[in-house]
Amino acid sequence: MAKQFKPETLCVQAGWTPKKGEPRVLPIYQSTTFKYDTSEQMARLFDLEDSGYFYTRLQNPTNDAVAAKIAALEGGVAAMLTSSGQAANFYAIFNICQAGDHFVCSSAIYGGTFNLFGVTMKKLGIDVTFVNPDASEEEISAAFKPNTKALFGETISNPSLEVLDIEKFARIAHSHGVPLIVDNTFPTPINCRPFEWGADIVVHSTTKYMDGHATSVGGCIVDSGNFDWDAHAEKFPGLCTPDESYHGLTYTKAFGKGAYITKATAQLMRDLGSIQSPQNSFLLNLGLETLHLRMPQHCRNAQKVAEYLSKNEKVAWVNYCGLPDNKYYSLAQKYMPNGSCGVISFGLKGGRDVSIKFMDSLEFIAIVTHVADARSCVLHPASHTHRQLTDEQLMEAGVRPDLIRLSVGIENADDIIADIEQALNT
């Protein structure tokens, strides 16, 4: 779809344009395989000489339509859906890194991603250096090595809610000849489009706001098409030299701006298979159609709740970048002037035990291992999602022992506040 359309229109219309007599609503292509008339037609698909569908592990029409919608929303040239946000993070790095390589990453990221990068990928021979995202450009640059292949950060970190200075990170990455990869899950492209600030690749856990209803686990990788891989060909042989598994095809020469996503699809998805199911893609598309309506409501509600918490005498601290006294308020206004997300973190006077009692006393705000959907929910990361981290790692990731992560839903704000108030008074 033409890029001149506004995000609201793209949410509803992008990705699927039915022809005469075709379904108005994106169909679920619930098939593992696709028929062709001749062996030659199939052969050309396997050699990447023609585009089309032959096996859903690589591509599926439902998946491709939804990926195209997300690419349009982010302003990218191509996208690929994955089975989860973690798979998207892994593929985004593994597509340009191999054993013996290194990348630099903000320390303020989701605990599962911290573990993926800091533990699991090291077992594959890919090393990472975590840096304080608020450090100076010189300090962050010092973490780069000759074998560094990427810089990674989260637009709004989960759960510490630190706002990434995207332009700063982009300058650093590009000065070292590597791409900036940004996880844009929390703001979504409704509130922030990292490509406009210099990012090269964006990843999402579509499980969160994009799906919006806690029905479907999924992820997505979007390529801006702006990074010049051939200008740094020695760093990225997987993209810039012949691929023996495809008869010596070179991705940048054969696919131009589509090289990165084509390689991720044709090589990584072929071999690792973390594809999103067509059924989940269909549900994700339904969520995307209302993303532009839900995000403003999440932000309005979160602002009201954050203001209430900041004035409550039982609350020790509140972290929400929409509050004027927040450390990241200025950055949030720069990158997300229309709102950030619906997630708040705060702590109660009395520490961890009081926080746990508070959560157990909530009525309709549920304790769940999830965040960023239509229903308000709460979590204690140190006890749940981040419990695999040491106290030192928790602090490095910006997670205090008393931190409560509150995901504010799209219910009535007064009802949300009333539930919080009764739990505080229990």
Side-chain angles (χ1 to χ4, degrees):
M1 176 168 279
K3 291 188 178 180
Q4 69 265 23
F5 287 107
K6 304 293 185 184
E8 296 86 350
T9 303
L10 294 173
C11 280
V12 179
Q13 296 283 354
W16 172 249
T17 304
K19 300 180 180 66
K20 180 180 178 180
E22 290 186 334
R24 182 67 183 90
V25 175
L26 174 67
I28 306 172
Y29 285 84
Q30 194 65 46
S31 179
T32 62
T33 192
F34 302 85
K35 175 186 177 294
Y36 286 87
D37 294 331
T38 69
S39 177
E40 175 62 20
Q41 290 172 342
M42 183 71 76
R44 289 182 64 82
L45 292 172
F46 273 95
D47 286 343
L48 303 183
E49 294 175 354
D50 284 347
S51 61
Y53 302 98
F54 52 92
Y55 198 63
T56 283
R57 173 158 50 84
L58 281 90
Q59 287 180 289
N60 176 281
T62 306
N63 291 11
D64 282 2
V66 180
K69 176 175 284 189
I70 296 173
L73 284 167
E74 285 287 8
V77 297
M80 180 183 79
L81 297 187
T82 61
S83 58
S84 69
Q86 283 293 76
N89 287 334
F90 174 67
Y91 279 24
I93 294 293
F94 198 56
N95 201 34
I96 51 177
C97 287
Q98 59 186 10
D101 285 341
H102 169 264
F103 67 103
V104 179
C105 181
S106 164
S107 60
I109 57 172
Y110 169 59
T113 308
F114 193 99
N115 193 71
L116 167 67
F117 290 167
V119 179
T120 302
M121 293 195 77
K122 283 190 176 182
K123 295 177 182 177
L124 301 176
I126 299 171
D127 197 18
V128 62
T129 299
F130 292 105
V131 295
N132 182 344
D134 295 333
S136 68
E137 295 190 30
E138 292 73 22
E139 289 176 291
I140 295 173
S141 288
F144 282 71
K145 304 176 181 180
N147 60 338
T148 300
K149 301 299 175 69
L151 178 59
F152 185 99
E154 293 180 357
T155 314
I156 300 176
S157 59
N158 177 16
S160 58
L161 304 180
E162 298 180 34
V163 177
L164 187 73
D165 190 340
I166 302 171
E167 281 193 314
K168 180 181 81 171
F169 263 54
R171 281 195 303 272
I172 296 168
H174 297 158
S175 71
H176 292 275
V178 303
L180 171 60
I181 304 174
V182 173
D183 186 327
N184 197 37
T185 295
F186 272 9
T188 80
I190 299 301
N191 288 340
C192 182
R193 285 160 51 107
F195 294 155
E196 295 176 355
W197 302 99
D200 301 291
I201 297 159
V202 160
V203 294
H204 285 276
S205 170
T206 63
T207 314
K208 310 305 190 297
Y209 287 121
M210 284 188 166
D211 169 80
H213 301 85
T215 63
S216 310
V217 174
C220 186
I221 308 171
V222 187
D223 183 15
S224 68
N226 294 332
F227 191 81
D228 189 347
W229 305 103
D230 281 325
H232 310 281
E234 73 286 353
K235 284 182 175 289
F236 305 105
L239 285 162
C240 303
T241 60
D243 181 355
E244 295 179 0
S245 69
Y246 278 110
H247 310 293
L249 175 147
T250 300
Y251 292 100
T252 55
K253 289 182 172 59
F255 301 103
K257 288 181 178 295
Y260 177 88
I261 290 296
T262 301
K263 178 179 180 293
T265 302
Q267 190 183 85
L268 299 189
M269 196 62 79
R270 175 197 65 190
D271 295 344
L272 301 174
S274 301
I275 194 68
Q276 190 166 149
S277 74
Q279 176 72 56
N280 279 5
S281 299
F282 174 82
L283 293 171
L284 168 58
N285 188 58
L286 294 180
L288 287 168
E289 289 181 352
T290 61
L291 182 64
H292 63 291
L293 301 175
R294 290 182 285 105
M295 287 308 295
Q297 181 69 10
H298 280 292
C299 294
R300 283 192 295 267
N301 282 356
Q303 187 69 31
K304 291 180 181 178
V305 172
E307 290 171 358
Y308 163 80
L309 290 170
S310 67
K311 297 172 184 175
N312 192 292
E313 62 181 12
K314 296 184 179 181
V315 176
W317 57 271
V318 181
N319 182 15
Y320 186 65
C321 61
L323 297 175
D325 62 350
N326 185 270
K327 177 181 179 181
Y328 297 99
Y329 181 78
S330 295
L331 277 179
Q333 291 300 301
K334 174 182 176 179
Y335 294 119
M336 297 165 282
N338 296 320
S340 55
C341 67
V343 184
I344 299 169
S345 64
F346 64 99
L348 300 179
K349 294 175 182 177
R352 181 184 292 219
D353 293 340
V354 173
S355 296
I356 292 172
K357 180 184 177 183
F358 160 77
M359 292 192 301
D360 291 346
S361 301
L362 291 165
E363 293 179 350
F364 76 81
I365 300 175
I367 301 173
V368 297
T369 310
H370 192 54
V371 67
D373 72 62
R375 305 163 193 85
S376 293
C377 55
V378 69
L379 190 77
H380 185 240
S383 299
H384 305 139
T385 55
H386 288 62
R387 66 181 297 113
Q388 76 274 18
L389 302 183
T390 65
D391 286 347
E392 182 177 291
Q393 288 174 322
L394 281 170
M395 295 306 296
E396 187 178 1
V399 180
R400 296 168 54 159
D402 63 342
L403 185 150
I404 297 169
R405 185 185 69 184
L406 172 62
S407 179
V408 181
I410 58 174
E411 307 95 344
N412 183 279
D414 292 338
D415 290 337
I416 298 170
I417 291 171
D419 194 16
I420 294 171
E421 187 166 22
Q422 68 80 23
L424 288 172
N425 294 329
T426 299

